[in-house]
Amino acid sequence: MPVQRLPLVFVFRSRAKEEKALADKAQVTDSKQPRDPQAKKGRPTPKRSEAQSQRRSVANTPTTRKDAAKRQREDRRQALERQRQALTTGDERYLPARDKGPVRRFARDWVDSRFNVAEFFLPLAVIILVLSIVRVGAIQSIALLLWLVVIVLIVLDGAISAFRLKKRLKEKFPDQNTRGAVAYALMRSLQMRRLRLPKPQVKRGERP
């Protein structure tokens, strides 16, 4: 009896292997056939917005190093363009880091709302230079005196402005870091109003 059972076991095993192989083959064949559009899918259908976003991300992904470099240059150009427009409109989102924040904006508005002696330095310097060229002793003495007067006025006005602005910053921003804001404002006061960047957003005499 044990001798007769052994072949039957092999027969059943071989038959089971054949059936399994046929089932695997049928599954592979079914997977290659086109799916019935009416049949249910094994995953939820993505929304149209999600599908479009995925297609755009795939389409915009650079495939080569050259494409990646081109994309970086384009992104940098767009960032510079947004920054240039922000310097004109005062848009806080795209301003350079040194101009961002409510403290720096207040410092700019405070300077732009008043007359500063330093902003007239360039036209005064041209006038004094022309006077100093004239070969007349009295006129050259006047030019030298004007140089001294202008420099003293700029120093006094800058000191008074720094003191007043520092006080206003402490009152308006008691809990914020105002370090560097006074120096930032004084550097801005040296520029002519029409040449300042970001562009002035307040009128002269308007309280910021």
Side-chain angles (χ1 to χ4, degrees):
M1 293 298 293
V3 177
Q4 294 179 356
R5 289 178 182 176
L6 187 59
L8 292 176
V9 172
F10 282 112
V11 171
F12 286 120
R13 284 184 179 178
S14 61
R15 183 174 298 175
K17 289 181 179 180
E18 291 178 358
E19 292 178 354
K20 184 178 180 181
L22 291 174
D24 293 341
K25 185 176 180 181
Q27 185 176 0
V28 172
T29 304
D30 293 340
S31 64
K32 293 181 179 180
Q33 293 179 354
R35 186 180 62 83
D36 186 358
Q38 300 298 329
K40 294 183 178 181
K41 295 185 294 184
R43 56 183 175 82
T45 302
K47 296 180 180 179
R48 179 177 297 179
S49 59
E50 295 177 355
Q52 291 177 351
S53 176
Q54 292 177 358
R55 286 196 296 268
R56 282 196 298 267
S57 62
V58 172
N60 294 333
T61 301
T63 57
T64 63
R65 182 178 299 179
K66 184 177 180 181
D67 293 339
K70 183 178 179 181
R71 176 63 54 80
Q72 290 179 355
R73 288 195 300 270
E74 181 64 21
D75 293 343
R76 186 161 51 247
R77 187 191 65 78
Q78 292 179 359
L80 291 175
E81 178 63 21
R82 288 194 298 265
Q83 187 178 104
R84 186 189 65 79
Q85 293 179 358
L87 290 173
T88 303
T89 61
D91 191 344
E92 288 280 344
R93 295 175 298 172
Y94 305 114
L95 284 176
R98 67 182 181 87
D99 299 314
K100 281 186 177 181
V103 175
R104 297 299 174 95
R105 182 179 182 87
F106 179 82
R108 291 197 304 271
D109 292 344
W110 191 87
V111 170
D112 297 337
S113 65
R114 62 190 299 272
F115 286 95
N116 304 276
V117 178
E119 67 179 289
F120 301 105
F121 173 76
L122 186 59
L124 288 175
V126 174
I127 295 173
I128 295 172
L129 183 61
V130 172
L131 292 177
S132 63
I133 295 175
V134 178
R135 296 183 178 274
V136 177
I139 295 178
Q140 290 181 347
S141 298
I142 293 174
L144 180 59
L145 181 61
L146 286 176
W147 271 121
L148 295 176
V149 170
V150 169
I151 292 174
V152 171
L153 288 177
I154 289 176
V155 172
L156 288 177
D157 184 63
I160 296 172
S161 299
F163 177 78
R164 293 176 58 190
L165 178 58
K166 190 174 182 180
K167 184 179 178 181
R168 289 294 309 277
L169 289 172
K170 287 184 177 180
E171 294 174 354
K172 193 170 183 65
F173 306 98
D175 300 328
Q176 297 190 33
N177 183 16
T178 60
R179 184 177 181 181
V182 175
Y184 172 79
L186 291 179
M187 291 298 297
R188 185 175 178 85
S189 68
L190 293 173
Q191 302 171 349
M192 299 179 65
R193 180 181 173 88
R194 67 177 60 184
L195 300 179
R196 293 172 184 170
L197 292 175
K199 292 289 186 182
Q201 303 297 317
V202 297
K203 298 179 180 179
R204 293 191 190 271
E206 183 179 350
R207 188 179 179 87

